[in-house]
Amino acid sequence: MSILIRGGTVVTAEAEYRADVLIEGETIAAVGPDLQAPQGARVIDATGKYIIPGGIDPHTHFELPFMGTVASEDFFTGTSAAAAGGTTMCIDFVIPSPQQSMMEAYKNWMGWAEKAACDYSFHVAVTWWDDSVKQDMHTLATEHGVNSFKHFMAYKNAIMCDDETLVNSFKTAKELGALCTIHAENGELVHVLQQEIFEKGITGPEGHPLSRPPEVEGEAANRAIRIAEVLGVPVYLVHTSCIDALESVTRARLEGQRVYAEVLAQHLVIDDSVYRNTDWDTAAHYVMSPPFRAKEHQAALWKGLQAGMIQTTATDHCCFCSDQKRAGQDDFRKIPNGTAGVEDRMGVLWHHGVRSGKLTPSEFVAATSSNAAKIFNIFPKKGALMAGSDADVVIWDPEKTRTISVDTHHQNIDFNIYEGMEITGNADVTISRGLVVWENDTLSTVRGRGQYVNRDCNAEFWSSQRKRNQAAEPTKVERT
Ligand code: URP
Ligand code: ZN
Ligand code: ZN
């Protein structure tokens, strides 16, 4: 099946220009002016609209088993909701339980993901350490297309990894040419603060942000960055939420260290007042880690994105319905952590970023798609509109208005953290590897059509990351 998208403005991370896009089967065949429609091709008129690469959400958790429950969104519903919002690829996380074999966990997640409607890939978390973990990192990197490993510095007594594990894993990632990704929060401090706050009688959702202040994130971010600096490995901070962490990223980048940072759409537009809502359920809906922050952090995150200190935007899409959140009714520490938004990321970013003048359309494409594709080494298969790229293409209507609501969203969750937010700029048509999956506000995704995307390691590129004092190679002093 061929599709010719005619009359629109192509926007890539590099440029914005008038061109048509021809899709043949699952790939882009040509991008250029006045392309001819092959016999039998479907022609879609994109006049007045942008043609952009499908969004890549580099941080989702579909059907994640976590905090005694399982995230309600599965790989089919999640990738479908993503498509409704213009996202055509998600990078999810395999998270082995402590002592569980990495390969076993990877196989479990691969099985769950078979129902995905759009393409996906996996970061794999290092949650404990021994020689088998090191061996499995090698196997995953060399045989299964995994080029990124995740490290949770929080969630003590569950999936938290200590400094010893961090160091071992970072060294192994360096050998492989894989990228280390980090959830930066000091888990020991969170644990102590949680107890102190609970013992003061603060048991509701307002206790959650109090137990995870910005300093806790800043300390962990800086520690991870410094460990990476000493070992000479690049790092990628997920869900950077505060000035404290951003300052560490900025300092390191200005010193030439290869540090990447991701921000969640929700951290850019929602502040910590949500935890003071007097309705327990509503406040609990926003319990995620790191928590929503005071407004000054949002302003700094926007600037970080504008300045290129933050390269990617994600959602950390991790759905827990109201009844699941109620597990923590008497104790905020037991509220499952996570918020949704895979469907809304691009619209929220366009409305609050592009329409407000903070981002150009090209910067929007970079932040929602191309930068993730480059960092995770799948560019230009993904994140690009080039002949030969996968035909993950979105016709973006900059004037299409929508009021975000649980009543109309496609996510498998019974509330929406953006409820009532009016946004202008939305996906009009979404094409996933050559198949139209969203059109006329209707989804037509196909269960199981999504493919696993292999991501190769890049040892040569990563090894160009210098250790801080590389000029001064350790030298032995000869003594008589
Ligand atoms: O609260 C969150 N973010 N839940 C999902 C797990 C994680 O930390 O990314
Ligand atoms: Zn996290
Ligand atoms: Zn996450």
Side-chain angles (χ1 to χ4, degrees):
M1 167 75 170
S2 309
I3 301 173
L4 179 64
I5 307 172
R6 185 177 268 169
T9 299
V10 164
V11 183
T12 66
E14 292 76 33
E16 192 176 317
Y17 54 100
R18 256 283 307 119
D20 301 337
V21 175
L22 178 63
I23 295 169
E24 298 271 17
E26 298 189 353
T27 51
I28 294 175
V31 180
D34 305 319
L35 297 179
Q36 293 306 305
Q39 187 83 32
R42 174 170 176 202
V43 178
I44 303 178
D45 180 21
T47 305
K49 295 170 190 159
Y50 292 117
I51 309 169
I52 61 174
I56 299 172
D57 189 335
H59 189 160
T60 60
H61 298 284
F62 301 135
E63 49 194 295
L64 172 70
F66 192 51
M67 294 184 71
T69 184
V70 178
S72 58
E73 189 87 272
D74 73 24
F75 278 86
F76 174 57
T77 59
T79 50
S80 297
T87 292
T88 51
M89 179 176 172
C90 296
I91 314 184
D92 209 276
F93 293 80
V94 172
I95 307 181
S97 309
Q99 309 307 315
Q100 186 189 17
S101 131
M102 246 186 179
M103 291 310 300
E104 180 187 270
Y106 174 77
K107 282 174 193 151
N108 289 344
W109 258 269
M110 286 293 278
W112 299 334
E114 275 175 12
K115 50 180 135 16
C118 299
D119 292 354
Y120 57 94
S121 195
F122 286 117
H123 313 280
V124 179
V126 178
T127 51
W128 60 291
W129 193 259
D130 76 357
D131 281 348
S132 75
V133 177
K134 185 178 167 87
Q135 183 51 50
D136 285 352
M137 286 177 74
H138 275 263
T139 306
L140 287 165
T142 54
E143 296 172 26
H144 297 274
V146 173
N147 72 8
S148 51
F149 293 93
K150 173 74 179 284
H151 306 80
F152 289 93
M153 296 173 79
Y155 306 124
K156 183 176 157 75
N157 298 328
I159 53 177
M160 179 171 113
C161 68
D162 57 16
D163 283 2
E164 186 182 355
T165 300
L166 273 188
V167 170
N168 282 320
S169 174
F170 281 22
K171 285 177 74 162
T172 305
K174 185 178 172 77
E175 287 164 25
L176 296 169
L179 181 59
C180 296
T181 76
I182 309 288
H183 170 132
E185 284 186 302
N186 182 318
E188 293 293 340
L189 281 175
V190 171
H191 187 68
V192 168
L193 292 176
Q194 280 181 329
Q195 258 168 287
E196 282 181 13
I197 287 155
F198 188 77
E199 278 161 17
K200 281 189 180 136
I202 301 172
T203 59
E206 67 278 15
H208 179 72
L210 296 173
S211 67
R212 312 180 95 102
E215 294 80 359
V216 160
E217 183 179 340
E219 186 284 323
N222 203 50
R223 180 158 35 104
I225 288 170
R226 285 297 196 190
I227 292 173
E229 180 184 26
V230 170
L231 298 176
V233 290
V235 274
Y236 175 102
L237 295 193
V238 306
H239 50 42
T240 308
S241 77
C242 63
I243 294 168
D244 310 53
L246 184 57
E247 278 177 355
S248 294
V249 170
T250 304
R251 178 200 53 73
R253 286 181 68 87
L254 291 179
E255 287 178 5
Q257 196 181 337
R258 189 164 287 129
V259 174
Y260 300 109
E262 164 196 287
V263 67
L264 306 184
Q266 56 267 46
H267 277 137
L268 287 167
V269 298
I270 296 173
D271 67 63
D272 60 354
S273 59
V274 292
Y275 298 116
R276 297 187 287 278
N277 196 304
T278 50
D279 178 63
W280 189 94
D281 278 316
T282 309
H285 289 170
Y286 291 89
V287 168
M288 68 159 300
S289 298
F292 293 102
R293 304 294 192 190
K295 278 196 188 309
E296 74 243 32
H297 296 280
Q298 286 162 41
L301 292 173
W302 276 115
K303 286 180 190 149
L305 190 58
Q306 290 174 281
M309 294 298 158
I310 295 173
Q311 297 75 38
T312 61
T313 56
T315 61
D316 197 1
H317 184 86
C318 189
C319 291
F320 296 112
C321 291
S322 304
D323 58 344
Q324 292 175 290
K325 293 275 186 188
R326 282 185 207 124
Q329 192 116 51
D330 304 317
D331 182 348
F332 70 85
R333 297 171 296 184
K334 296 186 180 146
I335 302 170
N337 288 202
T339 54
V342 76
E343 182 171 356
D344 302 320
R345 176 184 65 127
M346 296 187 57
V348 166
L349 253 294
W350 184 276
H351 183 86
H352 292 278
V354 179
R355 283 185 74 86
S356 69
K358 292 187 185 80
L359 302 175
T360 65
S362 280
E363 287 165 349
F364 168 84
V365 168
T368 55
S369 178
S370 309
N371 286 352
K374 290 173 187 170
I375 291 169
F376 294 108
N377 205 19
I378 47 174
F379 187 90
K381 173 182 169 66
K382 302 289 187 190
L385 295 179
M386 293 182 195
S389 297
D390 282 359
D392 286 353
V393 182
V394 173
I395 301 177
W396 189 262
D397 184 347
E399 299 305 327
K400 183 171 167 181
T401 296
R402 167 168 82 97
T403 303
I404 301 179
S405 176
V406 63
D407 298 332
T408 47
H409 77 195
H410 301 81
Q411 302 170 144
N412 192 28
I413 182 166
D414 63 350
F415 60 90
N416 191 307
I417 56 167
Y418 301 112
E419 186 69 33
M421 183 185 281
E422 266 188 42
I423 54 170
T424 300
N426 282 288
D428 201 34
V429 178
T430 304
I431 301 171
S432 165
R433 256 187 313 102
L435 183 73
V436 173
V437 291
W438 170 252
E439 192 176 23
N440 301 324
D441 293 336
T442 305
L443 271 173
S444 50
T445 46
V446 177
R447 192 180 176 88
R449 187 173 179 276
Q451 286 180 358
Y452 177 73
V453 178
N454 281 295
R455 295 176 297 117
D456 291 339
C457 287
N458 196 344
E460 209 175 310
F461 177 61
W462 288 154
S463 66
S464 68
Q465 170 66 55
R466 302 263 147 195
K467 288 186 191 176
R468 183 177 180 83
N469 292 318
Q470 200 145 5
E473 274 300 314
T475 43
K476 183 172 156 57
V477 177
E478 299 298 341
R479 296 194 175 80
T480 51

